[in-house]
Amino acid sequence: MPSRPARNPPMNFTGFPAEGLRFLRDLAVNNDPAWFRPRRDEYEATVRGPMIALAADVLTLAASRSLPLSGDPAKAVFRIYRDVRFSKDKRPYKTHCGASLSRTGARLAPGLFYIHIEPGGCFAAAGFWHPEPPLLDRLRQGILAEPGRFLKVVRALDQAGMPIGPDEDASQRLPRGCEAGRGTPVEPFLKHRNLIARRALSDADIGSAALPEVLLDRFAAARPLLDLGWALADA
């Protein structure tokens, strides 16, 4: 018989270090290559390295619980460099560290799980970020077709403390083809460009070796939204 995954697999993450948060704070004040380049090793040791270890432990724990998350821990962590090509803000470095996991292993696959570490602004999020137009249309039409089912998902997320947050990219008007939702409880969601459930992480959360378990609890809380979106994506 095939062996079962260990119930409590060994973990390597020991908590996100205070030194890493301090580095990100200092980077926010000194956002230029002259400051960052001599401190690149410090960034690797106190920010990127712990985030890779965290992603690895989340994946290990997810596998032990048969949860649909996969990916390469190192590739899951986003680069520190900002894309400034089309931005008026030319600061070269991000002042946070993020990692994204998904059921397929692709970092930006539809239905992702995102971990964000930033001094004073850490959170976990899950859902559909900038889905391609065909999928976005499927999501909207799925909401329209079964509004009661979608609102049940919304209530479950609210009760679990993982609400669908406001979307800064939301349309001011109902998208074409969604007119039937005008004046209904689902109208605000039909205007969303992103459907993301999110919850803050406390300083105690991120400094604890138990953070992988906390994150998987957040992932489990977001499953109603993910499962609904995946079903529509796979239809």
Side-chain angles (χ1 to χ4, degrees):
M1 294 178 62
S3 59
R4 294 181 178 179
R7 290 184 63 85
N8 296 297
M11 300 283 104
N12 295 313
F13 178 78
T14 58
F16 202 85
E19 294 84 355
L21 293 176
R22 184 162 55 247
F23 183 92
L24 291 172
R25 289 192 197 96
D26 290 345
L27 179 58
V29 178
N30 304 280
N31 200 322
D32 65 79
W35 185 89
F36 179 80
R37 285 172 181 162
R39 295 169 176 81
R40 178 67 191 238
D41 289 347
E42 182 182 352
Y43 161 73
E44 294 287 344
T46 66
V47 178
R48 186 170 181 269
M51 184 62 103
I52 293 173
L54 174 59
D57 281 2
V58 168
L59 290 171
T60 298
L61 198 59
S64 75
R65 298 180 183 181
S66 300
L67 294 174
L69 278 179
S70 61
D72 179 319
K75 293 180 179 178
V77 178
F78 287 92
R79 287 159 44 93
I80 190 70
Y81 304 102
R82 297 180 63 247
D83 185 351
V84 300
R85 290 173 298 171
F86 307 108
S87 174
K88 293 180 179 179
D89 182 354
K90 297 300 181 183
R91 290 176 297 173
Y93 304 112
K94 299 171 186 173
T95 54
H96 64 269
C97 186
S100 179
L101 305 169
S102 70
R103 61 173 179 164
T104 66
R107 191 170 59 187
L108 295 178
L112 55 81
F113 183 59
Y114 176 70
I115 306 160
H116 186 96
I117 301 294
E118 180 177 12
C122 301
F123 64 87
F128 296 81
W129 174 258
H130 284 187
E132 293 296 324
L135 176 55
L136 180 59
D137 186 60
R138 280 190 183 185
L139 293 171
R140 287 169 170 164
Q141 293 305 316
I143 293 171
L144 270 178
E146 297 186 84
R149 178 187 179 194
F150 178 74
L151 291 173
K152 184 177 179 180
V153 167
V154 171
R155 289 192 294 270
L157 294 171
D158 288 343
Q159 291 169 3
M162 283 285 287
I164 297 177
D167 182 9
E168 62 183 17
D169 298 327
S171 171
Q172 294 298 311
R173 299 180 180 180
L174 270 173
R176 184 178 300 174
C178 296
E179 292 80 5
R182 191 181 308 279
T184 71
V186 299
E187 179 178 359
F189 300 101
L190 294 171
K191 296 177 180 179
H192 279 217
R193 178 75 174 83
N194 308 290
L195 286 173
I196 300 292
R198 169 175 163 165
R199 184 173 176 179
L201 294 166
S202 69
D203 290 346
D205 287 332
I206 65 169
S208 170
L211 182 56
E213 287 92 345
V214 171
L215 290 170
L216 283 182
D217 287 344
R218 304 288 169 84
F219 175 74
R223 282 295 295 276
L225 175 62
L226 293 168
D227 288 342
L228 176 65
W230 285 335
L232 292 169
D234 296 342

